[in-house]
Amino acid sequence: MSAAFRNIASGRRPRLDRNIMTSMLDLMPAPGLIYNEWDKHGTCSGLGERALFRTIRKARAGIRSTRHLQLTEAKTVAPAEVEDAFVKVNPGLSTSRSP
């Protein structure tokens, strides 16, 4: 019986391999965020750890970011404005407010 299966059978979640965590730091800014993604979502996704993070990487490659502004002072922006800008540069997506 594999260690991963023993963990699942005993109710413990499989721990994410550190090498996989390290490989995701270019997309996700902190190790804790990567581990949390696996602990909260990945372990029940039906995908293994490599497949899950490969899927995340593939999804990210298909999305364009809005351009970053060079601000000289703080600016407040409504969440809807950010969402609209994101949808504008990614045809085919819609806002959560869309029918």
Side-chain angles (χ1 to χ4, degrees), residues 16-27:
L16 179 63
D17 181 276
R18 185 175 177 84
N19 291 327
I20 293 173
M21 180 280 296
T22 302
S23 75
M24 294 303 293
L25 286 171
D26 62 319
L27 294 184

Side-chain angles (χ1 to χ4, degrees), residues 60 92-93 97:
R60 174 58 184 95
L93 296 183
R97 300 178 314 276

Side-chain angles (χ1 to χ4, degrees), residues 1 15 28 35-36 43 52 68-69 81 83 93:
M1 180 185 303
R15 189 70 179 147
M28 302 172 95
Y35 283 119
N36 185 66
T43 55
L52 175 75
H68 298 279
L69 301 175
E81 291 178 82
E83 188 176 21
L93 296 183

